[in-house]
Amino acid sequence: TNGAFIGTQPGSNTASDLLRFGTGGTERMRIDSTGSISLSQGTGNSYVGTGAGNLGASTGSYNNAFGVNSLYSNTTGENNTANGYESLRANTTGVENTANGYQALYSNTTADYNTAIGFAALYLNTTGSNNTANGYRALFSNTTGNNNTTFGYKAGYALTTGNNNTIIGNIEGTAGLANTVIIGAGTTERMRIDSAGNVGIGTTTPGADLEI
């Protein structure tokens, strides 16, 4: 009862309290009783999408795309959220990524569990997983590095393959940096904890437990 279907009806009955739209005998969009909008392509898949070119020909489930060409190349990737022009554009099978910002996670293809917040954050990332980049072009050059966390303008910008780093501040880092914590003030590094556990204040190469 209280249901409607617009287009070629895929079955003899219309579910209750749903407004559904279809083409070619297949349901493509529905508005349910709570007002939620789902765009569907294939059985059991649900999306929310706004903006030209978003979600492409995706068959993955539970993706949300807001912005022109967001999640454009997605195929079977699931549980992704893309908010911004061309965010997660190249993603194909990556799952549970969140991109918020213009071209955030733009190049991501198969990587999982990344969070990018900011203009072109994690832009070049392709297969690196479990990264969190917060800031303008934060972790911009990361391609395959994993488990990195950065906060700040261009924080971790130069990291490409490094793993397990934390960078706070406008510090770009280096390509293969690993297992390191860096805290900066402006563009100047002020403190570092290296992979050996040595702490350096005012030095980037601490040679003891604490070097000032």
Side-chain angles (χ1 to χ4, degrees):
T1 59
N2 300 320
F5 188 91
I6 299 173
T8 305
Q9 176 75 314
S12 58
N13 298 316
T14 299
S16 298
D17 298 317
L18 293 175
L19 177 58
R20 302 189 296 159
F21 301 83
T23 58
T26 300
E27 181 182 327
R28 303 298 186 186
M29 185 178 79
R30 66 171 54 189
I31 304 174
D32 67 19
S33 59
T34 67
S36 296
I37 300 173
S38 298
L39 304 181
S40 301
Q41 294 164 297
T43 304
N45 301 303
S46 300
Y47 320 105
V48 176
T50 60
N54 59 351
L55 280 169
S58 176
T59 59
S61 301
Y62 310 113
N63 295 293
N64 299 301
F66 303 89
V68 173
N69 291 338
S70 54
L71 274 167
Y72 178 84
S73 302
N74 198 73
T75 53
T76 59
E78 299 184 340
N79 302 308
N80 297 292
T81 298
N83 187 357
Y85 175 82
E86 293 191 328
S87 52
L88 273 166
R89 189 188 196 285
N91 193 77
T92 53
T93 61
V95 302
E96 299 192 32
N97 296 290
T98 300
N100 190 347
Y102 180 99
Q103 294 186 332
L105 272 166
Y106 176 93
S107 303
N108 195 80
T109 53
T110 60
D112 308 320
Y113 314 116
N114 293 294
T115 300
I117 302 173
F119 179 98
L122 274 164
Y123 178 89
L124 292 178
N125 191 76
T126 53
T127 59
S129 295
N130 302 304
N131 297 292
T132 299
N134 191 335
Y136 175 92
R137 291 187 173 176
L139 279 171
F140 178 91
S141 301
N142 190 78
T143 53
T144 60
N146 303 303
N147 307 312
N148 297 295
T149 301
T150 64
F151 299 90
Y153 178 93
K154 298 180 74 172
Y157 179 95
L159 277 172
T160 57
T161 59
N163 302 313
N164 307 308
N165 298 291
T166 299
I167 298 178
I168 301 173
N170 183 9
I171 306 296
E172 296 189 6
T174 55
L177 186 72
N179 306 306
T180 300
V181 177
I182 297 175
I183 298 176
T187 58
T188 302
E189 180 177 326
R190 298 301 187 186
M191 187 177 78
R192 173 181 295 224
I193 305 173
D194 68 15
S195 58
N198 294 327
V199 178
I201 299 176
T203 176
T204 61
T205 56
D209 289 346
L210 175 61
E211 182 175 342
I212 300 175

